[in-house]
Short mmCIF file of all heavy atoms in Angstrom, two decimals:
data_model
loop_
_atom_site.label_atom_id
_atom_site.label_comp_id
_atom_site.label_asym_id
_atom_site.label_seq_id
_atom_site.Cartn_x
_atom_site.Cartn_y
_atom_site.Cartn_z
N SER A 231 88.04 110.82 91.29
CA SER A 231 88.29 111.29 90.01
C SER A 231 87.15 110.88 89.09
O SER A 231 86.57 111.73 88.32
CB SER A 231 89.61 110.79 89.42
OG SER A 231 89.79 111.14 88.13
N MET A 232 86.67 109.63 89.23
CA MET A 232 85.63 109.17 88.26
C MET A 232 84.33 109.80 88.62
O MET A 232 83.41 110.04 87.82
CB MET A 232 85.60 107.67 88.31
CG MET A 232 86.80 106.92 87.68
SD MET A 232 86.49 105.14 87.52
CE MET A 232 86.66 104.70 89.20
N LYS A 233 84.11 110.06 90.00
CA LYS A 233 82.84 110.80 90.38
C LYS A 233 82.66 111.99 89.66
O LYS A 233 81.51 112.43 89.27
CB LYS A 233 82.87 110.90 91.89
CG LYS A 233 81.52 111.44 92.51
CD LYS A 233 81.71 111.53 93.98
CE LYS A 233 80.41 112.06 94.66
NZ LYS A 233 80.54 112.07 96.15
N LYS A 234 83.71 112.81 89.42
CA LYS A 234 83.66 114.12 88.82
C LYS A 234 83.49 113.92 87.23
O LYS A 234 82.83 114.83 86.72
CB LYS A 234 84.95 114.88 89.11
CG LYS A 234 85.21 115.22 90.50
CD LYS A 234 84.07 116.10 91.15
CE LYS A 234 84.47 116.46 92.57
NZ LYS A 234 83.31 117.35 93.13
N LEU A 235 84.01 112.86 86.69
CA LEU A 235 83.99 112.80 85.31
C LEU A 235 83.02 111.91 84.62
O LEU A 235 82.63 111.92 83.50
CB LEU A 235 85.39 112.38 84.72
CG LEU A 235 86.56 113.30 85.11
CD1 LEU A 235 87.87 112.59 84.78
CD2 LEU A 235 86.40 114.58 84.26
N TYR A 236 82.46 111.02 85.44
CA TYR A 236 81.59 109.91 84.92
C TYR A 236 80.26 110.53 84.32
O TYR A 236 79.64 111.28 84.98
CB TYR A 236 81.36 108.82 85.84
CG TYR A 236 80.49 107.70 85.25
CD1 TYR A 236 81.02 106.73 84.48
CD2 TYR A 236 79.12 107.62 85.63
CE1 TYR A 236 80.14 105.77 83.87
CE2 TYR A 236 78.34 106.64 85.07
CZ TYR A 236 78.85 105.69 84.21
OH TYR A 236 78.02 104.74 83.68
N LYS A 237 79.80 109.96 83.16
CA LYS A 237 78.43 110.19 82.73
C LYS A 237 77.93 108.90 82.18
O LYS A 237 78.67 108.09 81.67
CB LYS A 237 78.57 111.26 81.60
CG LYS A 237 79.05 112.62 82.00
CD LYS A 237 79.06 113.52 80.79
CE LYS A 237 80.07 113.11 79.65
NZ LYS A 237 80.09 114.04 78.52
N PRO A 238 76.64 108.71 82.34
CA PRO A 238 76.02 107.38 82.00
C PRO A 238 76.10 107.12 80.44
O PRO A 238 75.99 106.08 80.02
CB PRO A 238 74.49 107.52 82.33
CG PRO A 238 74.54 108.50 83.46
CD PRO A 238 75.65 109.51 83.15
N ASP A 239 76.19 108.21 79.69
CA ASP A 239 76.22 108.09 78.21
C ASP A 239 77.59 108.05 77.61
O ASP A 239 77.74 108.47 76.42
CB ASP A 239 75.34 109.15 77.59
CG ASP A 239 75.77 110.58 77.95
OD1 ASP A 239 76.68 110.74 78.79
OD2 ASP A 239 75.23 111.61 77.26
N LEU A 240 78.69 107.70 78.33
CA LEU A 240 79.94 107.78 77.74
C LEU A 240 80.09 106.77 76.56
O LEU A 240 79.46 105.73 76.58
CB LEU A 240 80.94 107.25 78.83
CG LEU A 240 81.26 108.24 80.05
CD1 LEU A 240 82.10 107.58 80.97
CD2 LEU A 240 81.77 109.50 79.57
N THR A 241 80.90 107.13 75.59
CA THR A 241 81.22 106.13 74.56
C THR A 241 82.29 105.28 75.09
O THR A 241 82.90 105.50 76.18
CB THR A 241 81.72 106.90 73.31
OG1 THR A 241 82.99 107.57 73.66
CG2 THR A 241 80.75 108.00 72.82
N GLU A 242 82.63 104.15 74.35
CA GLU A 242 83.66 103.25 74.75
C GLU A 242 84.98 104.04 74.79
O GLU A 242 85.77 103.80 75.75
CB GLU A 242 83.78 102.12 73.73
CG GLU A 242 84.89 101.11 74.07
CD GLU A 242 84.98 100.03 73.06
OE1 GLU A 242 83.99 99.56 72.55
OE2 GLU A 242 86.12 99.61 72.69
N SER A 243 85.29 104.91 73.89
CA SER A 243 86.52 105.67 73.84
C SER A 243 86.62 106.59 75.14
O SER A 243 87.68 106.67 75.74
CB SER A 243 86.64 106.46 72.57
OG SER A 243 87.79 107.36 72.61
N GLN A 244 85.47 107.25 75.43
CA GLN A 244 85.55 108.10 76.58
C GLN A 244 85.66 107.28 77.89
O GLN A 244 86.34 107.80 78.75
CB GLN A 244 84.22 108.84 76.59
CG GLN A 244 84.09 109.97 75.53
CD GLN A 244 82.77 110.58 75.50
OE1 GLN A 244 81.73 110.06 75.83
NE2 GLN A 244 82.80 111.95 75.17
N ALA A 245 85.09 106.06 77.87
CA ALA A 245 85.23 105.23 79.21
C ALA A 245 86.66 104.90 79.34
O ALA A 245 87.17 104.77 80.54
CB ALA A 245 84.26 104.09 79.02
N THR A 246 87.35 104.46 78.23
CA THR A 246 88.74 104.04 78.41
C THR A 246 89.68 105.18 78.92
O THR A 246 90.54 105.11 79.60
CB THR A 246 89.24 103.49 77.08
OG1 THR A 246 89.12 104.42 75.97
CG2 THR A 246 88.59 102.25 76.78
N THR A 247 89.40 106.37 78.28
CA THR A 247 90.09 107.59 78.80
C THR A 247 89.76 107.86 80.19
O THR A 247 90.68 108.25 80.93
CB THR A 247 89.67 108.87 77.90
OG1 THR A 247 89.97 108.53 76.45
CG2 THR A 247 90.36 110.03 78.32
N LEU A 248 88.46 107.71 80.65
CA LEU A 248 88.14 107.91 81.99
C LEU A 248 88.98 106.99 82.96
O LEU A 248 89.45 107.63 84.01
CB LEU A 248 86.63 107.67 82.14
CG LEU A 248 86.13 107.69 83.60
CD1 LEU A 248 86.15 109.03 84.26
CD2 LEU A 248 84.75 107.08 83.69
N VAL A 249 89.08 105.75 82.71
CA VAL A 249 89.89 105.02 83.66
C VAL A 249 91.30 105.29 83.67
O VAL A 249 91.89 105.22 84.72
CB VAL A 249 89.57 103.44 83.34
CG1 VAL A 249 88.11 103.07 83.52
CG2 VAL A 249 90.10 103.10 81.85
N VAL A 250 91.89 105.69 82.58
CA VAL A 250 93.33 106.16 82.58
C VAL A 250 93.43 107.43 83.35
O VAL A 250 94.43 107.59 84.24
CB VAL A 250 93.78 106.44 81.14
CG1 VAL A 250 95.13 106.98 81.13
CG2 VAL A 250 93.75 105.09 80.47
N GLN A 251 92.55 108.29 83.30
CA GLN A 251 92.47 109.56 84.07
C GLN A 251 92.42 109.16 85.61
O GLN A 251 93.17 109.78 86.40
CB GLN A 251 91.29 110.48 83.81
CG GLN A 251 91.31 111.08 82.45
CD GLN A 251 92.22 112.40 82.46
OE1 GLN A 251 92.97 112.59 83.34
NE2 GLN A 251 91.94 113.27 81.50
N ALA A 252 91.62 108.26 85.92
CA ALA A 252 91.46 107.84 87.34
C ALA A 252 92.74 107.22 87.91
O ALA A 252 93.12 107.45 89.02
CB ALA A 252 90.27 106.81 87.50
N LEU A 253 93.43 106.41 87.09
CA LEU A 253 94.63 105.82 87.53
C LEU A 253 95.73 106.92 87.63
O LEU A 253 96.63 106.76 88.53
CB LEU A 253 95.03 104.72 86.49
CG LEU A 253 94.22 103.42 86.52
CD1 LEU A 253 94.66 102.56 85.33
CD2 LEU A 253 94.37 102.71 87.76
N TYR A 254 95.69 107.87 86.78
CA TYR A 254 96.68 108.98 86.81
C TYR A 254 96.44 109.67 88.30
O TYR A 254 97.40 109.94 88.96
CB TYR A 254 96.41 109.96 85.84
CG TYR A 254 97.49 110.00 84.70
CD1 TYR A 254 97.24 109.69 83.39
CD2 TYR A 254 98.83 110.51 84.95
CE1 TYR A 254 98.22 109.71 82.41
CE2 TYR A 254 99.78 110.56 84.05
CZ TYR A 254 99.51 110.10 82.74
OH TYR A 254 100.51 110.19 81.80
N ASP A 255 95.24 109.97 88.56
CA ASP A 255 94.93 110.71 89.76
C ASP A 255 95.28 109.85 90.98
O ASP A 255 95.82 110.34 92.09
CB ASP A 255 93.46 111.10 89.92
CG ASP A 255 93.22 112.37 89.04
OD1 ASP A 255 94.19 112.98 88.61
OD2 ASP A 255 91.95 112.66 88.92
N ALA A 256 95.03 108.51 90.97
CA ALA A 256 95.43 107.67 92.02
C ALA A 256 96.96 107.73 92.25
O ALA A 256 97.41 107.69 93.38
CB ALA A 256 94.91 106.24 91.81
N ALA A 257 97.66 107.52 91.08
CA ALA A 257 99.18 107.57 91.16
C ALA A 257 99.68 108.91 91.78
O ALA A 257 100.74 108.88 92.35
CB ALA A 257 99.77 107.37 89.89
N ASP A 258 98.96 110.02 91.61
CA ASP A 258 99.34 111.25 92.08
C ASP A 258 99.42 111.27 93.64
O ASP A 258 100.37 111.94 94.25
CB ASP A 258 98.43 112.37 91.67
CG ASP A 258 98.83 112.93 90.24
OD1 ASP A 258 99.86 112.54 89.83
OD2 ASP A 258 97.93 113.65 89.68
N ASP A 259 98.54 110.52 94.27
CA ASP A 259 98.29 110.59 95.74
C ASP A 259 98.67 109.37 96.53
O ASP A 259 98.64 109.28 97.67
CB ASP A 259 96.98 111.19 96.08
CG ASP A 259 96.75 112.49 95.58
OD1 ASP A 259 97.36 113.37 96.23
OD2 ASP A 259 95.88 112.78 94.71
N ASP A 260 98.77 108.24 95.77
CA ASP A 260 99.03 106.90 96.42
C ASP A 260 100.35 106.36 95.84
O ASP A 260 100.49 106.08 94.63
CB ASP A 260 97.87 105.89 96.11
CG ASP A 260 98.22 104.58 96.61
OD1 ASP A 260 98.62 104.47 97.82
OD2 ASP A 260 97.82 103.59 95.91
N SER A 261 101.26 106.23 96.75
CA SER A 261 102.67 105.75 96.29
C SER A 261 102.67 104.34 95.82
O SER A 261 103.59 103.88 95.08
CB SER A 261 103.64 105.89 97.51
OG SER A 261 103.35 105.12 98.60
N ALA A 262 101.61 103.53 96.23
CA ALA A 262 101.54 102.10 95.75
C ALA A 262 100.97 101.88 94.36
O ALA A 262 100.93 100.80 93.86
CB ALA A 262 100.81 101.32 96.83
N THR A 263 100.43 103.06 93.90
CA THR A 263 99.79 102.94 92.55
C THR A 263 100.83 103.48 91.54
O THR A 263 101.31 104.74 91.74
CB THR A 263 98.54 103.74 92.49
OG1 THR A 263 97.62 103.37 93.36
CG2 THR A 263 97.93 103.62 91.05
#
């Protein structure tokens, strides 16, 4: 998920949104997340 969304010039707000997106995607496919 992060590989598709990450950019070196992210703001702090965008970076926090990115990690939440990544956790959402992990929970979609991993029952332990």
